[in-house]
Amino acid sequence: MKRFRTVVMDAVTHFNNDDGWAMASHVALSVLMALFPFMIFGTALASFLGAEAYAETASHLIFDTWPETIAAPISREVIEVLTVERGGLLTISVLAAAFFSANGVEALRVSLNRAYRVTETRAWYVTRAQSLGFVVVAVMVIISISFLLVLAPLALKLARQFAPWMGTLIAAVDNWRILVAATVLIIGLVFSHLWLPDGKRRLIDVLPGIGVTVIAWITGAMMFARYLQEFATYVSTYAGLASIMIALVFLYIVAAIFILGAEINAAILKARDRARRAQESAAAKVND
């Protein structure tokens, strides 16, 4: 229990002293600004590859894990953006969209470097290429899932016809969207903690913070949704900007939790290193 308190206090103190709240606002704004360029680039690439269901799939994967009151107005705007006809893939606007969507990844990298208490040593063009790679991989994952959507109804129909005894499992598969969105989110968190910040970490080193992040995200989303229903006056305060302000505040909360999860991982690694050095020192005294 003492070690647990030490880890929590170390994480919270470093988060507060190292501008964690300011970094959370930077991440929230960067992600919100990167959202539409990411969707535009993804739509162009999906159209080039023939993935017609990309827009619907991307909307579900991104917004199904958000509270409905926050996601609904933003997702409507996203769908409107995605239905606009655009030119070919290799145009200046689409390439610019890819570049600006990578800015959201760069914001995550900066916040993770601070949380893990490391200084970036890689060249800027290496990190920028990695961020663009993250964007392309994310788009390809969504495209792959959208292709599977075409086969899913047929597979479920055949399963109901030839395996009616699997009715409960088939009903669960029918509600695949939230499960898939949560799975993609967790995998994205793992990749972000392992590869975005400088240095090397093992999977076991990042799992505690990721677990805390997921649990806190679920709790925070439920509390914020309830707050919007009962107390918020964003519509009267911000008028036409209400949906954007609500999304920005929500992303600010999410970003703060994300950074705090990395702070917890860093604090655990620090505590392990301190315990290891203490054991080595004790062993050295015994040998002397």
Side-chain angles (χ1 to χ4, degrees):
M1 184 60 66
K2 181 179 179 180
R3 186 175 180 179
F4 174 78
R5 288 198 302 268
T6 301
V7 167
V8 172
M9 287 302 300
D10 184 18
V12 173
T13 301
H14 188 269
F15 174 86
N16 187 67
N17 293 342
D18 205 34
D19 302 321
W21 298 111
M23 288 305 303
S25 64
H26 171 58
V27 170
L29 184 58
S30 297
V31 169
L32 186 61
M33 293 181 65
L35 179 60
F36 284 90
F38 172 76
M39 300 296 277
I40 291 171
F41 172 70
T43 303
L45 183 57
S47 177
F48 180 77
L49 297 176
E52 301 298 332
Y54 176 86
E56 181 182 356
T57 307
S59 179
H60 283 300
L61 287 178
I62 293 175
F63 296 111
D64 277 359
T65 54
W66 294 29
E68 185 177 357
T69 53
I70 303 171
I74 302 297
S75 61
R76 285 196 299 266
E77 296 298 328
V78 168
I79 293 298
E80 288 186 11
V81 169
L82 297 185
T83 54
V84 175
E85 293 291 335
R86 289 182 171 79
L89 173 64
L90 296 178
T91 63
I92 294 178
S93 60
V94 173
L95 293 177
F99 178 84
F100 287 116
S101 60
N103 287 342
V105 182
E106 287 297 308
L108 296 178
R109 183 196 312 282
V110 173
S111 65
L112 287 174
N113 276 333
R114 285 201 175 200
Y116 281 107
R117 308 161 198 195
V118 296
T119 302
E120 186 61 62
T121 58
R122 294 164 292 185
W124 68 268
Y125 50 84
V126 174
T127 57
R128 176 59 67 168
Q130 186 191 53
S131 296
L132 288 171
F134 265 70
V135 170
V136 173
V137 168
V139 169
M140 295 305 295
V141 168
I142 296 175
I143 290 175
S144 300
I145 294 174
S146 68
F147 278 127
L148 293 177
L149 283 180
V150 178
L151 302 176
L154 177 60
L156 290 174
K157 182 179 179 180
L158 292 175
R160 289 191 180 97
Q161 182 178 353
F162 295 103
W165 52 272
M166 297 178 61
T168 303
L169 179 60
I170 293 171
V173 173
D174 276 339
N175 299 320
W176 61 271
R177 289 174 176 172
I178 295 179
L179 178 61
V180 172
T183 301
V184 171
L185 176 64
I186 293 173
I187 293 175
L189 283 172
V190 171
F191 286 172
S192 297
H193 281 266
L194 288 178
W195 291 335
L196 279 183
D198 196 71
K200 294 182 179 180
R201 280 154 294 277
R202 300 171 301 169
L203 178 60
I204 194 173
D205 294 332
V206 303
L207 287 180
I210 291 174
V212 170
T213 299
V214 172
I215 294 173
W217 273 356
I218 295 173
T219 305
M222 293 174 61
M223 293 176 62
F224 190 63
R226 183 61 181 271
Y227 166 73
L228 289 177
Q229 292 176 354
E230 301 293 338
F231 307 108
T233 57
Y234 286 100
V235 174
S236 60
T237 303
Y238 296 104
L241 296 176
S243 60
I244 297 298
M245 291 305 303
I246 292 171
L248 190 58
V249 172
F250 174 69
L251 288 174
Y252 178 74
I253 296 171
V254 167
I257 294 171
F258 171 76
I259 297 172
L260 191 57
E263 292 281 6
I264 289 174
N265 285 338
I268 292 174
L269 290 173
K270 180 180 176 181
R272 287 177 183 172
D273 185 62
R274 187 188 302 117
R276 179 183 57 79
R277 285 188 277 109
Q279 291 176 354
E280 291 176 352
S281 177
K285 290 180 179 180
V286 171
N287 292 333
D288 291 342

